Every structure is written in structure tokens, then in C-alpha cells.
């Protein structure tokens, strides 16, 4: 824990960003796992992540549409992902 307390904000943000990108990569590799399954188990899904991404952008004065945020999370346009992978 001592190393985390000594970490500066820039390094902390870089780690958090890398962790988020790793989560997105993991979800991308597990297209077989449906949003409803994730929601039932952990209380959030890909759509939640995209909404949180958009909300955080807004807090930082960056305008991102829902569809742009979803495309970032899904790795492709949401409707395309839905057509290919949603059951």
C-alpha cells in the first residue's frame, strides 16, 4: 500500500487508464458474454461503461455522443455489435 500512496496523480491516472483499456479488451475478447449476464452478476454492463465514459467526458468539458461512447467501449458501432453478437 505504501507504493500506491507515494504514486503521483499522473502515474495513477495512467494505471487507471491502462486498466480500463484492459477491461475493454477483455470484454471485446468475450463477445459471447451478454450484457444481461454481466449485469446480473456484477450490476453493470458495457452500456453502463459507455454511459460512464460519456459522463466523465462531459465533466471534463468534452462532448461525446452516446453512440461515440458506445463505439469506444464496444470497439465498433453499437448496432453492428448488437447485430453480430447479441443473442
Amino acid at each position: 500500500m505504501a507504493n500506491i500512496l507515494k504514486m503521483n496523480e499522473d502515474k495513477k491516472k495512467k494505471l487507471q487508464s491502462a486498466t480500463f483499456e484492459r477491461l475493454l479488451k477483455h470484454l471485446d475478447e468475450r463477445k459471447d458474454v451478454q450484457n444481461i449476464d454481466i449485469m446480473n452478476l456484477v450490476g453493470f454492463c458495457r452500456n453502463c461503461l459507455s454511459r460512464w465514459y460519456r459522463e466523465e467526458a462531459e465533466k471534463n468539458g468534452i462532448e461525446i455522443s452516446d453512440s461515440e461512447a458506445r463505439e469506444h467501449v464496444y470497439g465498433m458501432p453499437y448496432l453492428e455489435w448488437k447485430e453480430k453478437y447479441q443473442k
Side-chain angles (χ1 to χ4, degrees), residues 11-86:
K11 286 185 181 185
K12 180 179 173 186
K13 296 291 183 198
K14 284 181 183 179
L15 288 175
Q16 290 171 336
S17 177
T19 302
F20 178 70
E21 291 300 322
R22 192 170 175 179
L23 172 61
L24 294 180
K25 183 177 186 293
H26 179 75
L27 291 172
D28 187 51
E29 292 169 353
R30 293 298 316 265
K31 291 178 178 80
D32 59 309
V33 178
Q34 298 296 297
N35 279 335
I36 191 70
D37 298 327
I38 299 170
M39 182 62 82
N40 286 336
L41 289 171
V42 296
F44 73 93
C45 67
R46 292 170 180 93
N47 292 332
C48 297
L49 287 174
S50 66
R51 187 182 76 246
W52 299 341
Y53 186 79
R54 181 188 47 77
E55 290 170 354
E56 292 303 317
E58 287 176 2
K59 287 180 187 176
N60 286 278
I62 302 166
E63 229 178 278
I64 296 176
S65 69
D66 285 334
S67 62
E68 290 170 321
R70 282 186 173 181
E71 187 167 340
H72 180 71
V73 170
Y74 283 88
M76 65 182 67
Y78 174 66
L79 293 178
E80 182 181 335
W81 189 95
K82 189 175 174 180
E83 185 178 299
K84 287 182 177 181
Y85 304 108
Q86 187 169 315

